Amino acid sequence: MNENRYIKSNLKSKKIVWEEEKPIRWSYMKILREFSTLKKEYPVNPYAEVYQMRDNMWAIFTETLDGAGDPWMYLIDGPKKAMLIDTGFGVGDLKGLVKEIVKDKPLIVACTHAHYDHAYGNAQFEEIYCSKCEVQRMNAINNDKIWDYLFDENGKPKWTEFDRNDLIKYQPYKITGVADGHRFDLGDGYEVEAVLLPGHTPGQCGYLDLYNMTLFSGDTSGISKAKPGELCAENCTVLASRNAFKKLQPRFKDITGVFPGHGALDVSSVSLQYHLDACEAILKDPENYDTCKERYMPSTNTTRKILMKNIHQGTAIRYTLDTVR
Ligand SMILES: [Zn+2]
């Protein structure tokens, strides 16, 4: 364990492995988690920290269980319905936590994408929305084997200590794909729009709260290769990411805060332009990257050589030469 990466917390999860993060992200998270007065903890879910970010919107933090980045989930309390964006790893009572905050309001649950840290908590809900392009990957994780990789041969957690009994009980759930631009109705004209922001996965999808004008962008900076023949495989490129951000560009000025799947939140929408700029730079000259590193992918047990192009005032776009176009 890298002792220097330690962040104090009351969470029931205890990290064994700390990822080597960009120093700026790590220091942001340390200050937020150790000192923010926005933070609230609920006994119903000792794996979550809750930060109220708007009058009717909360960011829910949990620690990663697999050594990669700690994910954010978001909860919007609309006039007639509430909406949860992402479901985390599936450890701890997320459903109970949501109920404490929005009471008995009907809940829409939507995922940005089908990765472990954003969608393995799906099985505690009856229906999950996602982009049409993510349905195939979402179906692939709709089973009870998804958590096996978190444990070693003795049944001990490999990256983060947690009580195995606190994993949700698996039950099959319904997956509903929506088109880019689909609007979720939270009542009285309060709408949240699906904004396809692919590249990281084929159907990685942001959600734009049209009332607060907040964008829940998911994971946009790591471009990963699609499997051959996969649904919407053409979306797993820097080019597709660039095209999606370009389409959203006229609305950047109206967005009051960007809330990504990891790291700093309530970020200025200028960051969206900086992401677009970095994509353009890669497309112009893919070999002109800023850094390069070998990265171990715990979910597939492989190591890949990842190129990185810095995003101004942000992290970096991670890509490989075969995911540019
Ligand atoms: Zn992801």
Side-chain angles (χ1 to χ4, degrees):
M1 162 164 154
N2 187 339
E3 306 286 344
N4 299 327
R5 298 286 98 183
Y6 182 72
I7 295 176
K8 237 187 291 172
S9 89
N10 300 320
L11 295 183
K12 193 170 173 183
S13 53
K14 298 283 172 242
K15 282 204 203 185
I16 308 162
V17 177
W18 291 76
E19 185 196 30
E20 206 50 55
E21 281 187 298
K22 275 233 167 189
I24 191 164
R25 173 183 282 185
W26 175 81
S27 58
Y28 174 95
M29 292 307 295
K30 183 173 173 72
I31 292 164
L32 179 79
R33 295 187 57 205
E34 293 190 357
F35 302 106
S36 174
T37 54
L38 300 173
K39 182 164 101 172
K40 210 174 151 183
E41 287 155 309
Y42 292 77
V44 68
N45 188 339
Y47 291 93
E49 295 170 2
V50 180
Y51 299 80
Q52 184 161 7
M53 302 307 297
R54 293 290 187 273
D55 287 347
N56 67 330
M57 191 270 279
W58 295 262
I60 302 171
F61 175 90
T62 55
E63 286 186 322
T64 179
L65 300 185
D66 75 358
D70 302 317
W72 284 109
M73 297 172 264
Y74 299 101
L75 178 64
I76 305 166
D77 189 10
K80 299 257 165 64
K81 289 182 181 177
M83 183 166 175
L84 175 68
I85 296 162
D86 283 343
T87 64
F89 271 95
V91 70
D93 186 0
L94 176 62
K95 200 175 180 176
L97 175 64
V98 166
K99 205 171 165 170
E100 292 248 327
I101 301 171
V102 301
K103 311 301 172 202
D104 286 318
K105 242 175 224 180
L107 182 69
I108 297 167
V109 186
C111 284
T112 56
H113 61 296
H115 278 164
Y116 24 92
D117 45 345
H118 300 268
Y120 279 15
N122 286 356
Q124 62 204 297
F125 303 101
E126 277 159 29
E127 182 173 20
I128 301 289
Y129 291 90
C130 64
S131 159
K132 276 182 176 173
C133 281
E134 199 72 355
V135 168
Q136 190 180 354
R137 286 201 181 192
M138 210 60 98
N139 278 324
I141 63 161
N142 195 347
N143 66 73
D144 63 354
K145 303 282 179 283
I146 53 176
W147 299 284
D148 291 353
Y149 82 106
L150 297 171
F151 303 95
D152 65 17
E153 58 280 9
N154 302 314
K156 287 229 161 33
K158 287 192 214 170
W159 296 278
T160 298
E161 276 175 36
F162 64 96
D163 186 341
R164 199 170 187 157
N165 297 318
D166 292 331
L167 280 175
I168 55 169
K169 302 288 163 273
Y170 174 76
Q171 53 173 35
Y173 52 91
K174 185 180 170 194
I175 296 161
T176 305
V178 299
D180 184 21
H182 174 86
R183 290 184 173 197
F184 296 91
D185 181 5
L186 307 192
D188 299 344
Y190 195 118
E191 292 181 318
V192 178
E193 181 183 329
V195 179
L196 187 65
L197 297 173
H200 183 65
T201 65
Q204 160 26 72
C205 188
Y207 296 94
L208 179 60
D209 177 328
L210 297 171
Y211 176 79
N212 286 323
M213 284 310 285
T214 41
L215 176 68
F216 305 96
S217 53
D219 291 0
T220 53
S221 54
I223 308 297
S224 52
K225 201 169 160 56
K227 294 162 197 111
E230 197 177 9
L231 181 69
C232 303
E234 69 281 3
N235 284 353
C236 285
T237 62
V238 176
L239 178 64
S241 178
R242 186 274 237 144
N243 290 347
F245 275 74
K246 191 83 192 161
K247 188 177 161 197
L248 188 62
Q249 193 184 33
R251 301 163 85 188
F252 287 176
K253 61 181 187 318
D254 304 321
I255 294 171
T256 63
V258 180
F259 293 81
H262 302 273
L265 36 68
D266 212 355
V267 181
S268 160
S269 65
V270 175
S271 64
L272 302 170
Q273 182 61 48
Y274 294 154
H275 177 98
L276 182 53
D277 293 344
C279 288
E280 299 281 15
I282 294 168
L283 291 167
K284 216 171 129 196
D285 185 0
E287 310 249 14
N288 187 22
Y289 52 84
D290 292 302
T291 37
C292 164
K293 73 169 176 183
E294 304 263 314
R295 191 182 163 102
Y296 173 66
M297 318 297 271
S299 52
T300 52
N301 194 25
T302 53
T303 302
R304 301 187 76 200
K305 188 180 168 189
I306 310 288
L307 310 178
M308 280 173 277
K309 186 79 188 167
N310 292 341
I311 301 171
H312 183 61
Q313 290 183 3
T315 54
I317 295 185
R318 300 186 304 277
Y319 65 104
T320 48
L321 288 176
D322 57 353
T323 56
V324 175
R325 292 172 189 274

